[in-house]
Amino acid sequence: MSVLPVRFSTYALSIAGLLISLIGLAFDGLWWIGVGVFAALVTLGTFDLLQRKRTVSRNYPILAHMRYLLESIGPEFRQYFIEADTDQVPFSREQRNLVYRRAKNDVDKKPFGSLHDMNAPGYEWMSPSLAPVHITDQNFRIVIGENRVQPYSASVVNISAMSFGALSPNALSALNEGARNGGFYHTTGEGAISPYHLRGGDLVWQLGSGYFGCRRDDGGFDPEKFRRNAQRDEVKMIEIKLSQGAKPGHGGILPAAKVTREIAVTRGVPAGKDVVSPSCHSTFSTPREMIGFIQTLRELSGGKPVGIKLAIGHPWEWFAMVKAMREEGDHPDYIVVDGGQGGTGAAPLEFINRLGMPLDDALNLVHNTLIGAGLREQIRIGASGKIITAFDICRTMAIGADWVNMARGFMFSLGCIQAQSCHNDRCPSGVATQDPLRGKRLDITDKSERVENFHTNTLHALREMLEAAGLQHPGELGPEHIIRRLDNGSARPYISLLNRLKPNELLEGGATDHPIYREFWEMATADSFSAPSEIVKLRASKLV
């Protein structure tokens, strides 16, 4: 590079100071002080550049140690002046430290009791058993598409969707190698299958509205390109992304400056030109057509499981999809429910804070609807949205998920420090950046081990929680196992809070005691995602 990055300036000034001090030493012996100081700084900076454990140090030689110093006194400083370890902004220090420790195989135990107020409204816990069990195998798995030609046995914890273009090549490579070594899957994100996804880990190829990796020149879907990629051995499942929690209903744009030749080749787009992802798919416009597209993808892939990912919005749209599944006699093999808590994708503040149904509500709606429509046993459900700990996994599966995906948790395992610079290409840890000087300093071998460790140690914690609850597999978790403190101070299990439908209740004209189904189920039609006529009439009038 012709211009030295500003973040290397301290290192460069230290070298200059050392040279000046050495020259000065020839004239005055007091210059030995400068020689000693600058030699120590140059040694430290050189070590930072050559070591492979800390990406932040490689990107910010010498300067990074100021961060580590401040971090080391952070708990004491915050204890008196700023925040508690449990403040989630968006992830608390307690959560981040847990991931860091598990990723490094450090001790993750804590002394002196919980920092949480167990009497506060919203506090939740899991019920232990007086008859705990012993589990010999913590490799918990779930079969998806068991009646298809190529079913897939997935881990109950996997890597959620993060595209090449959002994450650096080294970050993706480390994630994929960690998934390979740990026996879990890695979702590609809608940015297509890049070379960095092909390091031996199982893949779920996510297909967004831009159809990257199987795209015609006009932006439409190319069946032959899809077939070639979908039949790769690494690709275990196909996932149609309808919407995501970070920005539901919002098409993405990759500016021309970021569309490098490598990204262009991966996505199948022209280099150096803006790449716009439409807000919706062009291959289907109705729920029935969506089922037809699922069937097409399943056939082209050679019988691999095909699913959908969505953030729940208008309930009648979701109900219309379920009605199409019933009437067409086919369905996705799985559904990933993405919570409105957002994720790694940068989005407008209003989208992040106020658009989309939170995970618990969305997951309950999807799970409940499939039960009432007689489809739950045929369709698996995954869930993603701010899941970090083994308890997060337990409560999510107790509400209705069969497995979970994590994005930010695995980013922390790579060394993410929650700098929230994912969108400006200045990620200090080399994770969410396309700056080669930053990204290449993330050591693939070291970080892939941390990814694997985080997965293994999280499953270990999950196993211990299940053992304490007297359960053999997370699939046995139900709403009776999770207790929630209410605003009035009382505590109730989820089983008395969720108001479940009975099997086939929607098909038998029931659900009259469930307001959301009573209001919208009959309105929905498999022929359209559009608002029912009753809703359109309401929109035209304020007399409601």
Side-chain angles (χ1 to χ4, degrees):
M1 288 187 62
S2 58
V3 179
L4 188 72
V6 174
R7 62 183 183 276
F8 289 164
S9 59
T10 303
Y11 181 55
L13 289 172
S14 297
I15 294 174
L18 177 59
L19 292 175
I20 293 171
S21 298
L22 287 171
I23 295 172
L25 191 61
F27 300 96
D28 191 333
L30 287 177
W31 280 93
W32 69 266
I33 299 175
V35 171
V37 170
F38 288 114
L41 289 173
V42 170
T43 301
L44 179 62
T46 303
F47 174 78
D48 286 341
L49 290 171
L50 295 178
Q51 59 84 34
R52 308 185 74 83
K53 294 290 185 182
R54 291 179 168 180
T55 310
V56 176
S57 294
R58 298 186 77 192
N59 273 323
Y60 294 85
I62 302 176
L63 283 176
H65 293 274
M66 288 298 296
R67 175 191 178 273
Y68 300 139
L69 174 63
L70 293 172
E71 183 182 42
S72 68
I73 64 172
E76 292 81 5
F77 189 80
R78 287 193 314 279
Q79 180 181 0
Y80 295 106
F81 300 110
I82 302 178
E83 65 180 27
D85 277 353
T86 55
D87 289 345
Q88 297 188 25
V89 285
F91 288 90
S92 69
R93 173 172 288 269
E94 183 180 67
Q95 291 171 314
R96 300 195 308 271
N97 279 344
L98 179 68
V99 178
Y100 297 150
R101 288 181 175 277
R102 286 179 175 167
K104 295 176 184 178
N105 265 338
D106 288 344
V107 176
D108 62 357
K109 309 299 187 290
K110 291 191 68 175
F112 231 67
S114 175
L115 298 177
H116 295 265
D117 180 0
M118 297 186 179
N119 293 313
Y123 179 78
E124 295 176 338
W125 66 92
M126 184 168 162
S127 298
S129 171
L130 290 176
V133 299
H134 176 65
I135 300 174
T136 58
D137 183 7
Q138 68 179 36
N139 184 26
F140 305 118
R141 307 194 78 82
I142 182 79
V143 177
I144 305 170
E146 57 188 346
N147 296 320
R148 305 303 177 191
V149 176
Q150 299 187 58
Y152 178 59
S153 176
S155 171
V156 297
V157 179
N158 301 282
I159 302 172
S160 195
M162 293 177 282
S163 298
F164 175 45
L167 299 196
S168 69
N170 283 30
L172 288 175
S173 298
L175 287 173
N176 197 257
E177 287 192 11
R180 177 196 67 199
N181 297 334
F184 51 102
Y185 77 65
H186 179 192
T187 313
T188 64
E190 66 175 304
I193 303 170
S194 73
Y196 312 106
H197 289 104
L198 300 173
R199 300 177 74 99
D202 289 351
L203 287 181
V204 171
W205 181 17
Q206 189 180 87
L207 215 60
S209 57
Y211 303 119
F212 301 122
C214 56
R215 174 186 175 99
R216 298 196 310 260
D217 291 340
D218 63 0
F221 174 71
D222 187 318
E224 181 55 29
K225 287 182 180 178
F226 173 82
R227 186 191 62 79
R228 289 199 300 267
N229 271 321
Q231 292 192 9
R232 291 175 179 269
D233 290 339
E234 299 92 343
V235 175
K236 304 301 181 183
M237 300 195 295
I238 312 298
E239 185 171 293
I240 304 169
K241 192 190 89 168
L242 302 178
S243 58
Q244 69 182 79
K247 45 188 172 185
H250 192 288
I253 179 170
L254 195 64
K258 281 190 147 186
V259 185
T260 64
R261 187 170 192 82
E262 188 175 32
I263 288 178
V265 170
T266 296
R267 296 196 177 202
V269 298
K273 294 185 179 180
D274 288 346
V275 179
V276 179
S277 297
S279 56
C280 58
H281 284 259
S282 60
T283 51
F284 57 88
S285 59
T286 70
R288 289 190 195 278
E289 291 175 354
M290 184 194 74
I291 298 299
F293 188 53
I294 289 172
Q295 293 170 328
T296 297
L297 298 187
R298 190 180 291 128
E299 180 180 350
L300 290 171
S301 68
K304 294 179 180 179
V306 178
I308 59 175
K309 172 184 175 178
L310 79 164
I312 296 292
H314 299 306
W316 60 80
E317 295 175 348
W318 161 241
F319 294 159
M321 293 162 61
V322 176
K323 285 190 171 182
M325 297 174 201
R326 294 291 316 180
E327 294 175 20
E328 293 297 310
D330 202 353
H331 51 77
D333 299 298
Y334 68 94
I335 297 170
V336 173
V337 182
D338 204 17
Q341 289 90 330
T344 58
L349 181 67
E350 294 85 353
F351 277 68
I352 290 174
N353 287 341
R354 303 296 178 183
L355 201 62
M357 193 177 289
L359 177 59
D360 291 357
D361 303 272
L363 177 58
N364 183 55
L365 180 65
V366 170
H367 176 64
N368 222 13
T369 305
L370 293 180
I371 290 174
L375 291 170
R376 184 60 182 91
E377 293 183 346
Q378 289 79 50
I379 301 175
R380 300 297 190 186
I381 299 177
S384 59
K386 215 172 181 183
I387 296 168
I388 290 286
T389 69
F391 176 74
D392 296 336
I393 298 169
C394 287
R395 70 180 301 279
T396 303
M397 297 185 74
I399 293 173
D402 292 305
W403 82 91
V404 303
N405 291 339
M406 298 184 191
R408 288 168 288 184
F410 280 106
M411 287 176 67
F412 289 140
S413 75
L414 290 172
C416 167
I417 60 174
Q418 196 170 270
Q420 299 187 60
S421 297
C422 308
H423 62 301
N424 61 20
D425 215 30
R426 296 175 62 83
C427 173
S429 54
V431 176
T433 179
Q434 293 306 305
D435 182 343
L437 281 179
R438 293 171 183 266
K440 286 183 178 179
R441 295 183 184 281
L442 187 151
D443 185 78
I444 296 172
T445 301
D446 176 65
K447 302 306 183 188
S448 65
E449 291 176 0
R450 295 191 184 190
V451 168
E452 180 187 4
N453 290 342
F454 172 59
H455 182 266
T456 299
N457 290 324
T458 299
L459 287 184
H460 177 76
L462 176 61
R463 186 191 79 186
E464 290 188 321
M465 291 200 76
L466 293 172
E467 289 176 333
L471 306 175
Q472 292 286 346
H473 190 277
E476 298 175 20
L477 284 161
E480 70 275 16
H481 293 110
I482 307 298
I483 317 298
R484 183 178 180 87
R485 177 80 64 195
L486 304 181
D487 290 341
N488 62 7
S490 65
R492 292 172 62 187
Y494 266 52
I495 195 169
S496 67
L497 297 173
L498 293 178
N499 199 16
R500 295 290 202 198
L501 290 181
K502 296 176 182 177
N504 299 317
E505 189 171 351
L506 291 172
L507 306 180
E508 297 167 357
T512 55
D513 295 331
H514 303 263
I516 194 169
Y517 302 98
R518 184 178 65 241
E519 295 292 332
F520 299 118
W521 174 257
E522 293 301 326
M523 291 184 182
T525 170
D527 296 313
S528 178
F529 286 113
S530 299
S533 57
E534 293 90 338
I535 299 297
V536 175
K537 290 177 183 177
L538 291 177
R539 291 175 180 174
S541 170
K542 297 297 183 183
L543 304 177
V544 180

